[in-house]
Amino acid sequence: MKHKFIINSSIYLKNRLRKFRRLLQNIAVALCLILGIWLTFTTITLVSASSQPIDAFFVLGGSIRREIYVAQLAKQYPRIPILISHGSLDPCILLIFQREAADLEQVWLENCANSTFENFYYGIPILRNWKVRKVKLITSGTHIFRAKLMAQIILGAHGIWVEPEVVREIGIPGNRESGIKTVLDMIRSLFWAVLSQIIQPQCSQVTKLVDVDIQAWQQRGFHCEHQGGVGFYP
């Protein structure tokens, strides 16, 4: 009797395992199908976006020369919105745009990001809200390789085509690159490309450039990078 019970239990467990294995296979097939459809749709969207005009400038912080460059672009394309992700101090950027006589209305400053990954982490919801399909990514030559790869993974997953733009630097910008750093950022970018489809983090420190209170900053005192050429306020 005991032997028969053991045999029945063994058969029952085998059947359960077989059903569980079949369930996992069905789930895997379904996920692969969904992923395939998503990749196909995203690829079609990207190909279409690649032939469209630029509809946003995305500046990665790290050097004031990037803000000087985009301020000059703003004079040529006053209607294209500009997102500067954790760049120079707000008043420094304001002074640069005023010096270049560039329009301030289409410029937003995001000051939550503390890394290249976070530039995209906080930038995606803003760009999506603007319904951006093709973005000009502005950074320095020493930073462009890693930034471009991350942008193509994360922004590309949202159907946003990336056109990189290298700003010529004098000296060495604040960003430091390494092989390990690049690999780690690629890995988390791949994960975030998927998770960001449903998770949309919001930065609480987004300011429109025209709203920067220069007088309040002058009272507190601030310093700008020397290359900006906009002075400082002790």
Side-chain angles (χ1 to χ4, degrees):
M1 186 72 179
K2 184 177 180 181
H3 179 68
K4 184 177 181 181
F5 174 77
I6 293 175
I7 293 175
N8 290 337
S9 297
S10 177
I11 294 173
Y12 174 76
L13 288 174
K14 287 180 180 179
N15 289 335
R16 294 286 293 181
L17 287 172
R18 192 179 297 112
K19 290 180 180 180
F20 182 68
R21 193 180 301 115
R22 191 179 300 117
L23 176 62
L24 290 179
Q25 290 174 344
N26 291 337
I27 292 175
V29 170
L31 288 175
C32 288
L33 182 61
I34 293 172
L35 180 61
I37 293 173
W38 175 58
L39 288 175
T40 301
F41 177 78
T42 302
T43 300
I44 293 172
T45 302
L46 282 173
V47 171
S48 174
S50 67
S51 60
Q52 300 300 313
I54 297 290
D55 49 12
F57 297 135
F58 188 15
V59 185
L60 306 185
S63 167
I64 201 167
R65 294 190 67 83
R66 302 172 193 175
E67 286 115 33
I68 296 173
Y69 182 83
V70 80
Q72 294 168 349
L73 279 180
K75 289 194 297 183
Q76 302 175 49
Y77 308 98
R79 294 189 177 184
I80 296 182
I82 299 170
L83 175 61
I84 301 176
S85 181
H86 207 157
S88 303
L89 291 176
D90 294 1
C92 300
I93 298 175
L94 176 62
L95 290 172
I96 286 171
F97 272 75
Q98 289 178 336
R99 183 185 65 194
E100 297 292 337
D103 183 66
L104 309 179
E105 288 291 338
Q106 295 296 316
V107 187
W108 281 261
L109 313 176
E110 175 269 298
N111 288 311
C112 291
N114 289 303
S115 66
T116 305
F117 175 79
E118 290 186 357
N119 289 147
F120 300 113
Y121 179 88
Y122 290 110
I124 287 177
I126 298 173
L127 296 176
R128 289 187 63 180
N129 186 54
W130 292 353
K131 301 187 185 307
V132 170
R133 282 292 166 258
K134 186 175 183 179
V135 66
K136 183 181 287 293
L137 182 71
I138 299 173
T139 187
S140 305
T142 55
H143 185 227
I144 191 64
F145 177 72
R146 182 166 59 93
K148 179 183 175 182
L149 288 177
M150 295 175 70
Q152 289 175 332
I153 293 172
I154 300 177
L155 299 184
H158 291 271
I160 300 175
W161 183 266
V162 178
E163 182 176 292
E165 187 83 7
V166 175
V167 175
R168 184 178 179 183
E169 294 285 351
I170 299 175
I172 302 174
N175 304 89
R176 294 291 184 270
E177 303 300 302
S178 71
I180 295 177
K181 187 177 183 180
T182 298
V183 170
L184 291 176
D185 274 342
M186 292 307 100
I187 293 173
R188 62 176 175 171
S189 293
L190 287 169
F191 278 105
W192 191 245
V194 177
L195 292 177
S196 60
Q197 303 296 322
I198 54 176
I199 302 174
Q200 293 294 304
Q202 300 298 316
C203 173
S204 60
Q205 300 177 56
V206 177
T207 306
K208 201 170 183 180
L209 187 57
V210 72
D211 294 331
V212 173
D213 189 342
I214 189 68
Q215 292 183 345
W217 277 94
Q218 288 173 340
Q219 291 174 1
R220 280 187 282 172
F222 63 90
H223 291 74
C224 303
E225 285 184 55
H226 175 69
Q227 292 187 38
V230 290
F232 64 91
Y233 295 82

